[in-house]
Amino acid sequence: MTRPRAAEGSGAAGFTAGATPALSEPDPAANPAQKRILTVLVLGQLLAGAGLAAGVTVGALLAEDLLGGPGLSGLPSALFTGGSALAAILVGRLSQARGRRPGLATGFAFGALGAIGIVVAAALGSLPLLFLAFVVYGSGTATNLQARYAGADLATPESRGRSLSYVLLGTTFGAVAGPNLVGPMGSVADSLGLPTLAGPFLLAAAAYGGAAIVISLLLRPDPLIEARRRAAVAAVEDGPGRAAAPELGDATEPDDAAGPDASAPRAPGAGAPGPVSGDAVEALLSSSSTSSASLSPSPSFSPRSPGEPAERPRVWNADVITGVVVMALTQFVMVGLMTMTPVHMRAHDHAVTVVGLIISLHVAAMFLPAPLSGWLVDKYGTRTVAIAAGVVLLSSGVIAAIAPPQSTALVALALILLGVGWSLGLVAGTTVLTTSVPLDVRATVQGQADVAVALSGAAGGLLSGLVFAWIDFRGLGFALAALSLIVVAAVRGRRR
């Protein structure tokens, strides 16, 4: 028999018209655990946001001081976003194997360790240690972003965009407060005999460490493990005539003609609805853990002979790839313009407190509109929102390019639009990844997708410094504006 497809969802399911969501998704309606999970994730993000803001605000300035020039001042951004790429793989795999709680807690803990390393490197004036510490510090950035996926694991299909956006919203407070604490934390660093710009990383170490503790102690039940358990219960309760839920990664789907021995574990009573055997559910969960590493694609669902291995849906389909492309391009544009704005402003005699304010507004625009971005995705679909992201990013680059260097207001407007465009692109792409990828490989695929996003950000941070040194901030703004058009082209190319 062929695997049944889920009913078609809303436009949020994918970038193609009529895209189907993930198969046999468990229905967590009226789930009291989801509210607790979102509350804990938001609390963790409140802390983690402050850790994220430190590198955004003063990373380039610290490198400029140690390197003696702006040419490679984008290197710290490239290093910690490159480090976040490695961390995304590790956090994704750990989450897939052990659950979201150990994955997120470990990622935040390494972010705290990296922040401590940056403080030590700045005190010693050691560039090698500084660069290594920035790589480790990137783990916090990756984990901060991966937390959004945990918010959607138990969400209903109609509310996934909003659920993950609430987790992003939780980042706002710390991320906005962090840049405004540059001055006070600099004073703390001075009082300790440390370089002034090392101060924000003291805050980052405490913030990421606090987030690791919150997630480790309070994120219960684990959302990914709970989603798998519910899928297993649903598969067992359905009894014969239904294959094990594809999210659980059954390597050999039972076939009606294959006989009872080929079927998945079932509830007692020859498949009639009734009490679910704990052993049966455990068997399905064990099947999930052993098969989740397999991502072998198949072109489509098709009939097969008895005993023939089941064909699995192709995980990296066109919608998933387009979603990753949208997130990667928006990350490249955002990191590129954001990284060089503090350097540009200080070169034109803006006070560091003004720079901190501008970055605070930018970070607020990244995370504060997240619920609106989620609502737009749930109502109008991912394609529309992704196109809007490209248009907003285009406007940001143009305004940054034409703004007089002394105009704080126009630079602020450009950075606010940059944050809004990033929010729209990230929520649209994330919703596709959550909706279109089965549970048994979801965390792994999401980690792989975030690798592409992080590497794109690393490239944006590194190249922005080189472009800035070559053709100044105006040329950088126009170049990134042109790149934003690719976001629109990538999504419009999926229309059919």
Side-chain angles (χ1 to χ4, degrees), residues 1-219:
M1 75 179 185
T2 60
R3 286 185 189 266
R5 289 183 181 270
E8 296 209 0
S10 66
F15 286 109
T16 54
T20 54
L23 303 175
S24 305
E25 195 70 41
D27 180 12
N31 173 25
Q34 174 70 350
K35 182 177 179 180
R36 173 181 171 83
I37 287 167
L38 287 177
T39 300
V40 173
L41 288 172
V42 168
L43 178 59
Q45 294 296 87
L46 288 174
L47 295 168
L52 172 69
V56 169
T57 307
V58 301
L61 301 180
L62 180 61
E64 184 180 20
D65 286 349
L66 293 180
L67 292 168
L72 292 176
S73 56
L75 187 57
S77 177
L79 289 172
F80 76 71
T81 50
S84 71
L86 176 61
I89 297 175
L90 300 178
V91 171
R93 288 182 176 177
L94 182 57
S95 297
Q96 189 67 53
R98 301 295 182 185
R100 298 288 188 190
R101 183 172 63 250
L104 297 178
T106 301
F108 282 135
F110 272 93
L113 179 63
I116 293 172
I118 292 171
V119 173
V120 173
L124 299 176
S126 171
L127 284 174
L129 179 58
L130 179 72
F131 294 155
L132 176 62
F134 265 114
V135 172
V136 179
Y137 172 76
S139 177
T141 305
T143 309
N144 185 276
L145 286 176
Q146 289 234 347
R148 73 195 190 275
Y149 295 122
D153 282 332
L154 287 176
T156 61
E158 297 79 12
S159 64
R160 283 202 181 101
R162 282 163 288 173
S163 293
L164 67 91
S165 69
Y166 293 146
V167 180
L168 290 174
L169 178 64
T171 309
T172 305
F173 176 79
V176 172
N180 287 297
L181 294 175
V182 168
M185 292 307 300
S187 299
V188 171
D190 289 338
S191 68
L192 296 174
L194 298 170
T196 301
L197 292 178
F201 291 99
L202 293 172
L203 174 64
Y208 279 145
I213 293 172
V214 166
I215 295 298
S216 180
L217 295 180
L218 301 180
L219 191 62

Side-chain angles (χ1 to χ4, degrees), residues 1 239-244 252-266 304-308:
M1 75 179 185
R242 162 161 179 162
T252 55
E253 177 190 13
D255 190 281
D256 289 343
D261 292 339
S263 61
R266 301 167 185 166
R304 55 184 176 81
S305 305
E308 180 183 347

